[in-house]
Amino acid sequence: MLKTLQSLFFPDQSTTETTRETRVDAAVAILLMEVARADFDVAEGELGVIRRTLIDDFAMGADQADELVRHAAAEVDDSTGFFPFVRVLNEQLGQNQKRQVVETLWRVAYADAGKHHLEESIIRQIADLLYVPHSEFIRARVRAEQAASD
């Protein structure tokens, strides 16, 4: 499994466009799982948001999304930080896509009983590393909070 994840993040020079997309998918899934696990309790609602994001935003099938969620959970267990995954997103995504990632991180945080201060801390760190301005960080939080209350 570790070799599979390493191949997603460190492919050889013959990388195809599909592999690049998979790298972004995996990086997003891992960061979403980081937020879900921040409060030491992964709720079904949080997993549902992660799964729906992978299916809707990355055009994955349900089985593919479930497998990537399992891989992301294992990677978070073994990871020493999220900088390598943020780096992938900085290399592959534009500013609007990064803002969308931050909003999705907030959706995960609000998917259970409400945001936990540890979830907010991780989202703030990721947003800073993605160079998302603080005003956009706040707007994303407000949109996610409104969506959660609907």
Side-chain angles (χ1 to χ4, degrees):
M1 179 170 47
L2 183 57
K3 287 182 183 180
T4 302
L5 286 171
Q6 285 175 334
S7 71
L8 293 174
F9 294 105
F10 305 106
D12 60 7
Q13 295 298 332
S14 63
T15 302
T16 64
E17 189 64 32
T18 303
T19 304
R20 284 191 202 115
E21 284 301 316
T22 303
R23 290 176 59 194
V24 171
D25 298 349
V28 168
I30 289 165
L31 293 175
L32 294 173
M33 187 60 70
E34 284 276 2
V35 171
R37 288 193 169 186
D39 61 359
F40 306 104
D41 180 37
V42 180
E44 282 301 316
E46 293 171 321
L47 291 175
V49 170
I50 296 169
R51 187 173 182 269
R52 278 191 311 278
T53 297
L54 296 174
I55 291 169
D56 295 344
D57 295 353
F58 296 102
M60 280 187 190
D63 291 341
Q64 239 183 332
D66 290 340
E67 182 67 21
L68 188 50
V69 167
R70 282 191 293 278
H71 284 298
E75 183 64 26
V76 169
D77 285 343
D78 296 336
S79 174
T80 58
F82 43 76
F83 183 76
F85 313 114
V86 170
R87 183 175 48 95
V88 168
L89 299 184
N90 276 328
E91 291 172 355
Q92 299 290 326
L93 300 181
Q95 196 62 32
N96 287 334
Q97 293 167 312
K98 292 178 198 178
R99 288 181 188 129
Q100 182 60 42
V101 168
V102 171
E103 185 171 335
T104 305
L105 294 169
W106 278 116
R107 282 195 210 131
V108 169
Y110 282 107
D112 54 6
K115 73 174 171 63
H116 187 277
H117 70 278
L118 294 174
E119 292 170 326
E120 182 172 1
S121 175
I122 286 177
I123 297 168
R124 183 180 304 273
Q125 290 173 47
I126 292 170
D128 287 346
L129 290 170
L130 288 173
Y131 307 108
V132 172
H134 187 70
S135 60
E136 290 298 324
F137 167 84
I138 297 298
R139 284 186 192 106
R141 182 180 72 193
V142 169
R143 285 191 300 268
E145 186 174 19
Q146 288 172 340
S149 65
D150 291 341

